[in-house]
Structure formats: C-alpha cells, structure tokens
Amino acid sequence: MDKSLGYLRETLANYTEDHSEGKDICKKLMEGAYSSEGSFVRDLNQKEINFLNHMLPKEINYAKEEQDEKRAHELNEVFELLF
C-alpha cells in the first residue's frame, strides 16, 4: 500500500465509529488494491470526497502541531488530489 494511503487509513481509524463515511472510506482502503493515492481518489464518490475535505485539514494541522511532519506531508499528498 502507498505510504500516504497507509497514513490515511491509520487516521481514518479515529472516524469509523461515529461517521459512516469514515467507515466506508476505511473499508475501501482495506479492500482495494490501490497502487497510488491518485487511483484511490478516483474511486471516491462525492460524499466521501466531501468528508475527506472536511476531515483532512484538521488532521494535517494536528500532525503539524505534534511536529509529525512526515504524517502531515503524507496526508497532504492525498488532500491535494481531492481538488
């Protein structure tokens, strides 16, 4: 699995209990054989994209606050492809 998608899957684990979109996206990551974040993003529906557009900026900022630049960078790789 692509490193960025690995970080995304790990982050989404915090969003699977209270958010159906988080659960659906996590399921896609587990079941899909995505070779890149681009192939993953192309497989998302609009509801999932909206969810990630809302969630990822918060998670990227949190990673930066925790001085986890690697995580912030990898999550940003996915975030940039959503547009």
Side-chain angles (χ1 to χ4, degrees), residues 8-9 12 14 21-24 27 29-30 34-35 37-38 41-42 50-51 55 57 63 70-71 80 83:
L8 178 61
R9 185 178 69 184
L12 281 169
N14 297 321
E21 294 89 358
K23 184 181 256 184
D24 293 342
K27 184 177 178 183
L29 282 170
M30 298 294 283
Y34 302 106
S35 60
E37 55 270 0
V41 168
R42 285 188 295 276
N50 291 342
F51 177 79
M55 180 270 294
K70 177 69 173 165
R71 176 179 297 281
E80 289 178 348
F83 296 101

Side-chain angles (χ1 to χ4, degrees), residues 64-76:
K64 287 179 181 178
E65 288 173 8
E66 295 297 314
Q67 298 178 354
D68 189 345
E69 293 300 321
K70 177 69 173 165
R71 176 179 297 281
H73 173 76
E74 296 296 343
L75 291 175
N76 194 57

Side-chain angles (χ1 to χ4, degrees), residues 27-59:
K27 184 177 178 183
K28 275 187 178 184
L29 282 170
M30 298 294 283
E31 294 176 353
Y34 302 106
S35 60
S36 70
E37 55 270 0
S39 63
F40 168 72
V41 168
R42 285 188 295 276
D43 195 32
L44 295 173
N45 64 42
Q46 192 59 48
K47 190 174 182 181
E48 293 165 336
I49 290 170
N50 291 342
F51 177 79
L52 289 176
N53 275 329
H54 179 74
M55 180 270 294
L56 279 173
K58 294 176 189 177
E59 292 297 326

Side-chain angles (χ1 to χ4, degrees), residues 14-22 51:
N14 297 321
Y15 293 87
T16 57
E17 294 205 16
D18 296 330
H19 304 280
S20 62
E21 294 89 358
F51 177 79

